[in-house]
Amino acid sequence: MVNNGSSKPASVKERAKTQGWRQSPAVKWVLMALFVLLFYFSLAPHVIPETYDITEGTASEKDIKAPYQIRDEKATRQAEEDAAKKIDDSFSIVQLRNDQLVEQILYRIEQLNMDDQVTVQNKIDIYRSEIPGRYVSHIDAVVKNSKSSGTYNNTLLEEMARLAKEQQYTIPEETFYKMPQLTSEQLSDMRVVAREIVRKLMNEQIREADTARTQVAELVNASSLSNRTAREIVQELARFVITPNKFLDVEKTEEAREQAKLNTPPVVFKEGDIIVKQGEIITPDLYKLLSDSNLLQDKKHYWPQTGLLIMSLMFVVMLYAYLHQSGSIGGVKPKYTNSQLLMLWLIFVINIMTIQIIALTQTDAASYAGFLAPAALGAMLITLLLDLHLAIMGSFIFALMGSIILNTSQTQIFDFKYGFFIIVVSLAAVFSIHRASQRSAILKAGIMVSLFGSLAVMAMLMMSENLDRMPFIYSIAFAFASGLLTAILVIGLMPFFEITFGILSALKLVELSNPNHPLLRKLLTETPGTYHHSVMVGNLSEAAAEAIGADGLLCRVGSFYHDIGKTKRPNYFIENQSNIENPHDTIEPMLSKSIIVAHARDGVEMLKAHNIPKPIRDIAEQHHGTTSLKFFYFKAKKQAEEQGLEINFTEDDYRYPGPKAQSKEAAVVGIADCVEAAVRSLRNPTVEHVEAMINKIIKSRLDDNQYNECDLTLKELDKIAQSLKESIIGIFHSRIEYPDDAQTKEKTETK
């Protein structure tokens, strides 16, 4: 029974469920779980730091090393404080214009002394109250003006006002009694001298006003003033207006200290540094450091594990989605068996393991060693052994994982320069190898990987800011070596996968198609007719298989070996009976049937003895299915009727033992085998004869339920028939009569 492309018969579904571990859904999900575990544990050392079960106040049982760079906050804060303490106080000079103040006081004295309406006593009282007030007003005015102009910060002005008022000089009482005695001429001279003395002293940096005031007497005595009273008053007024002009700038000091803290490098434990030595007591500070660094076995630090598990599941979902779309999960006839999924898992293991090994050679100074990783190994193996599209999808997973495993940075999870490198070399490998037909093609693909990998690395490095010569050369050299290493590993691993999983890669099929293979050479020398027939079947079946999306190369090579069993008794097969009598004419039909059907079983035994892969053995065993040898059945029936014997056998006794075709390829070879023999038997074939014969053979096998156990559809059978017709017309072009030729011949013969 054949499916129309939309549904499967119940018997096929039940059989699919019982085909063993290779098709078991439970085994599929176990393999999916293995993928999750592979991704999780491969990335865990690079993402999840090791944790320790320790308690505060106990001695550490072993050295605890930093899995990555860890900042010691307490030590960093202490270092910052130490740096801040080393910064001296900052002072700022504030110009108070003290010379203007002394000039204003003397000018006021002159005005008041000239006023005859004011008594001497009143003048004294005014001097006693107004002069100290002018000092305070002058300081306040400086503060106000400075704030409005923004010349100095508020903190500095407040400090200036405070110190100026604290160090204000007190004029002796007797000085006020002498002031009314001064004349205008004396005050004029006094203003000049007082102003110069104050300017000279205030040009120096003064923290303590008393220190500067000690110099006033000497400067006054050295001045041009000759009047004793005038000198005494100038001396007291100069002392009075002198103030500090160098003040502690708190804001500037704090800014300098904060800058010093910012400039202090953090105290860190570098990757691999010992944080806690074996036997060291876990102090509260150490415990907090370990806790803050997520190095303690604490439930609240399970986020990295959860995140990695989610990422691993996402990788598997990507695989599942592709496999589901390609019909490998949930279908009756999966595109990939569990055996192939297990092989895919092993490829992932090997590829990830090689990347891990290279990652061990990386250091901070030689991170470019990561470009040596043969990251294209997995993509190349998947392309050769499984599927090109699956290899492309796997390339992206390898790129993501490689960018984590090869990452040497402690500040990010992915290093996409390695991810970009891996995706470039993987895709280069996929598109260089997917049509490979010889082992040497692997080496050529490796060279392509080397070239594209080197170009990718060169491009990335040329775009970076720091282009150091030696790392640049080493990076390109490692990237080039990566491609060659990939080719070597693929060549070495291919036989392992082909033998272990019975995989027939395109390379293996091409090797088996070599005419110098012992079995093909035996077929050619001992049964040339069968050899020619096998080659013709190969041509027909390859085109037909490709028309329905099956493996054309497998059909071709399987056709070469499908009749190898005939070499045991070559003369019993018509294509080898050249100039000899047919031995079947002299033996019983049942014996003839036994000899004919034995060639399938004999062929399987010979193929197994020569370690020919199972898919080819299956074609040899299944290409006849359980079809009937009707010629010998009817011959036996006729002989029994002629001899008057009772017919004690049925047509089923004259059938091949099977099994029926289990794959599209076996079914296609079986149809092509029958069609080629039938066409060869036609004396004057026409296109109509060929087409009718092909349809008859396919319908006969369809009615005989020969396709019940493979997933051929009616639509695919139509495509097979069309392909066979086109191929036969091309191969037997000279023998086939076209309609016009046939009509012409018929008219000629009737004349």
Side-chain angles (χ1 to χ4, degrees):
M1 184 174 182
V2 176
N3 154 359
N4 63 5
S6 60
S7 63
K8 297 288 181 182
S11 60
V12 177
K13 290 184 178 180
E14 293 174 357
R15 189 158 37 250
K17 294 180 180 178
T18 58
Q19 285 181 346
W21 76 273
R22 293 177 184 273
Q23 303 296 343
S24 170
V27 175
K28 263 187 187 65
W29 292 114
V30 169
L31 289 170
M32 292 296 105
L34 287 177
F35 273 106
V36 174
L37 294 177
L38 171 63
F39 297 148
Y40 182 90
F41 288 106
S42 297
L43 299 178
H46 305 276
V47 176
I48 302 174
E50 182 182 1
T51 57
Y52 303 88
D53 184 15
I54 58 177
T55 55
E56 186 178 332
T58 61
S60 176
E61 296 180 355
K62 59 180 178 180
D63 290 343
I64 299 178
K65 297 183 178 180
Y68 46 79
Q69 182 170 291
I70 295 175
R71 180 184 175 115
D72 188 340
E73 294 294 343
K74 182 181 179 182
T76 298
R77 286 195 299 272
Q78 185 60 49
E80 290 175 350
E81 291 300 327
D82 292 341
K85 289 178 181 178
K86 294 179 180 179
I87 300 298
D88 295 330
D89 291 338
S90 295
F91 293 88
S92 294
I93 304 297
V94 179
Q95 298 296 336
L96 299 177
R97 302 307 303 270
N98 305 61
D99 56 332
Q100 293 181 358
L101 176 59
V102 71
E103 192 171 2
Q104 291 171 5
I105 292 173
L106 289 170
Y107 185 74
R108 176 58 175 159
I109 293 173
E110 182 180 0
Q111 283 183 327
L112 198 57
N113 284 351
M114 291 172 62
D115 191 348
D116 295 336
Q117 302 298 320
V118 182
T119 64
V120 173
Q121 184 60 46
N122 288 339
K123 291 179 181 178
I124 294 171
D125 291 339
I126 292 173
Y127 297 148
R128 185 185 294 117
S129 62
E130 187 175 319
I131 291 176
R134 282 183 174 271
Y135 179 91
V136 174
S137 298
H138 180 76
I139 298 299
D140 292 341
V142 171
V143 171
K144 182 179 179 181
N145 294 334
S146 297
K147 284 184 177 180
S148 62
S149 64
T151 307
Y152 305 104
N153 61 70
N154 293 339
T155 305
L156 175 62
L157 292 174
E158 290 172 4
E159 175 70 7
M160 179 273 292
R162 183 185 67 81
L163 285 179
K165 292 175 181 180
E166 282 182 0
Q167 299 184 29
Q168 183 178 351
Y169 180 78
T170 303
I171 299 175
E173 186 68 18
E174 62 269 18
T175 303
F176 296 119
Y177 284 92
K178 296 177 181 179
M179 288 180 180
Q181 303 173 15
L182 297 173
T183 65
S184 296
E185 291 78 9
Q186 290 174 332
L187 287 170
S188 179
D189 294 337
M190 289 170 60
R191 280 200 300 270
V192 175
V193 172
R195 187 173 57 244
E196 292 300 322
I197 290 174
V198 172
R199 282 180 179 175
K200 181 176 182 180
L201 291 176
M202 292 304 297
N203 281 335
E204 299 178 3
Q205 296 182 8
I206 302 174
R207 279 286 294 159
E208 296 292 335
D210 287 342
T211 303
R213 288 168 184 157
T214 59
Q215 303 177 44
V216 172
E218 182 181 352
L219 294 174
V220 170
N221 291 332
S223 69
S224 60
L225 293 176
S226 57
N227 185 274
R228 179 177 178 182
T229 301
R231 288 200 304 269
E232 288 177 359
I233 293 175
V234 168
Q235 181 173 304
E236 294 302 328
L237 289 178
R239 288 174 179 170
F240 174 72
V241 299
I242 288 177
T243 61
N245 63 0
K246 182 179 181 181
F247 305 99
L248 174 64
D249 194 335
V250 177
E251 287 191 15
K252 189 175 180 181
T253 301
E254 289 302 319
E255 289 178 2
R257 288 175 179 169
E258 287 300 321
Q259 190 61 44
K261 290 181 180 180
L262 293 175
N263 293 336
T264 301
V267 179
V268 298
F269 293 97
K270 295 182 180 179
E271 182 179 357
D273 286 352
I274 296 177
I275 302 175
V276 181
K277 294 182 179 180
Q278 183 178 3
E280 184 178 352
I281 301 299
I282 305 299
T283 63
D285 291 335
L286 280 176
Y287 188 85
K288 185 176 186 306
L289 174 62
L290 296 174
S291 178
D292 292 343
S293 303
N294 296 333
L295 296 179
L296 299 181
Q297 292 180 0
D298 192 330
K299 291 183 180 179
K300 66 180 181 181
H301 294 147
Y302 286 163
W303 292 114
Q305 293 89 330
T306 304
L308 179 57
L309 180 60
I310 292 173
M311 180 183 291
S312 301
L313 287 171
M314 290 178 68
F315 287 156
V316 174
V317 167
M318 291 171 64
L319 275 175
Y320 179 92
Y322 172 81
L323 298 174
H324 182 74
Q325 289 295 326
S326 62
S328 64
I329 293 180
V332 175
K333 275 290 184 180
K335 182 175 180 179
Y336 301 117
T337 65
N338 290 335
S339 174
Q340 290 171 311
L341 291 180
L342 177 60
M343 179 174 64
L344 178 65
W345 183 81
L346 281 177
I347 292 173
F348 269 81
V349 170
I350 293 171
N351 200 46
I352 293 171
M353 186 170 62
T354 58
I355 296 175
Q356 295 273 22
I357 292 173
I358 296 300
L360 295 176
T361 66
Q362 287 181 293
T363 63
D364 291 338
S367 61
Y368 48 75
F371 293 121
L372 183 62
L377 170 64
M380 197 177 291
L381 286 174
I382 295 173
T383 304
L384 290 171
L385 300 173
L386 292 169
D387 178 62
L388 177 143
H389 297 95
L390 178 59
I392 293 175
M393 193 275 297
S395 298
F396 287 95
I397 297 180
F398 291 137
L400 290 172
M401 296 190 68
S403 64
I404 295 175
I405 296 172
L406 297 173
N407 177 29
T408 57
S409 172
Q410 305 301 326
T411 59
Q412 57 189 10
I413 298 176
F414 298 92
D415 188 340
F416 283 104
K417 69 174 179 287
Y418 294 110
F420 177 72
F421 167 73
I422 292 174
I423 196 65
V424 167
V425 297
S426 296
L427 293 180
V430 169
F431 294 114
S432 300
I433 200 69
H434 80 285
R435 293 189 181 278
S437 59
Q438 296 180 350
R439 299 282 175 182
S440 60
I442 297 177
L443 183 58
K444 295 178 182 177
I447 295 174
M448 293 300 295
V449 170
S450 295
L451 293 176
F452 277 93
S454 300
L455 287 174
V457 172
M458 182 186 300
M460 287 188 292
L461 294 179
M462 292 176 70
M463 289 187 291
S464 65
E465 294 181 359
N466 299 321
L467 188 60
D468 295 333
R469 180 181 177 184
M470 293 312 297
F472 180 79
I473 295 174
Y474 283 135
S475 296
I476 295 176
F478 283 153
F480 191 88
S482 169
L484 301 180
L485 181 59
T486 298
I488 293 171
L489 291 174
V490 170
I491 292 172
L493 288 170
M494 280 292 291
F496 164 76
F497 284 104
E498 290 172 342
I499 294 172
T500 303
F501 293 93
I503 296 297
L504 259 181
S505 65
L507 300 178
K508 184 68 175 178
L509 285 171
V510 171
E511 289 179 356
L512 290 173
S513 67
N514 190 333
N516 289 322
H517 189 282
L519 285 179
L520 294 183
R521 195 163 57 246
K522 178 181 177 69
L523 187 68
L524 174 62
T525 56
E526 298 181 9
T527 56
T530 299
Y531 178 83
H532 180 265
H533 161 72
S534 298
V535 171
M536 299 300 291
V537 172
N539 293 334
L540 296 175
S541 63
E542 182 178 30
E546 291 178 350
I548 63 171
D551 191 338
L553 184 57
L554 174 59
C555 287
R556 170 182 283 276
V557 179
S559 299
F560 291 170
Y561 292 90
H562 81 289
D563 276 345
I564 194 68
K566 292 181 179 180
T567 57
K568 282 199 172 184
R569 304 173 188 87
N571 293 334
Y572 285 87
F573 299 92
I574 191 169
E575 65 267 23
N576 299 314
Q577 294 169 2
S578 177
N579 300 322
I580 63 172
E581 294 184 359
N582 190 341
H584 291 290
D585 295 339
T586 59
I587 63 176
E588 293 295 323
M590 182 58 72
L591 178 59
S592 294
K593 168 257 178 183
S594 299
I595 293 173
I596 295 298
V597 301
H599 85 274
R601 181 184 66 251
D602 293 339
V604 171
E605 292 175 355
M606 294 175 67
L607 294 173
K608 190 177 294 186
H610 283 78
N611 296 320
I612 301 299
K614 189 175 184 301
I616 294 180
R617 301 202 306 267
D618 289 342
I619 289 176
E621 185 179 25
Q622 301 167 14
H623 71 281
H624 283 296
T626 58
T627 55
S628 171
L629 281 80
K630 292 184 179 181
F631 175 82
F632 294 110
Y633 167 69
F634 287 118
K635 180 179 178 181
K637 190 176 179 181
K638 181 179 179 181
Q639 287 182 354
E641 291 173 350
E642 290 175 350
Q643 296 174 8
L645 300 176
E646 181 181 355
I647 299 177
N648 58 355
F649 55 85
T650 65
E651 186 176 353
D652 288 342
D653 294 326
Y654 284 85
R655 286 184 177 273
Y656 280 91
K660 297 177 181 179
Q662 302 295 305
S663 65
K664 291 182 180 181
E665 288 77 13
V668 169
V669 171
I671 296 172
D673 176 51
C674 189
V675 166
E676 195 282 333
V679 170
R680 188 163 23 88
S681 67
L682 295 176
R683 292 186 178 181
N684 298 304
T686 65
V687 174
E688 289 82 359
H689 289 161
V690 170
E691 186 172 7
M693 179 200 63
I694 294 173
N695 291 334
K696 180 181 178 182
I697 291 172
I698 292 177
K699 185 176 185 305
S700 173
R701 292 201 169 204
L702 184 61
D703 294 339
D704 198 22
N705 298 323
Q706 293 301 311
Y707 308 129
N708 280 16
E709 299 180 14
C710 67
D711 55 355
L712 275 175
T713 66
L714 292 173
K715 184 176 182 180
E716 288 173 335
L717 287 174
D718 288 340
K719 289 182 178 180
I720 291 171
Q722 181 65 24
S723 174
L724 289 174
K725 184 184 78 170
E726 293 173 355
S727 298
I728 288 173
I729 291 175
I731 295 173
F732 297 97
H733 184 274
S734 59
R735 290 185 53 207
I736 295 177
E737 296 180 353
Y738 290 84
D740 292 342
D741 297 336
Q743 292 174 6
T744 302
K745 181 176 181 181
E746 184 178 349
K747 291 178 181 178
T748 303
E749 291 175 348
T750 57
K751 290 182 178 179

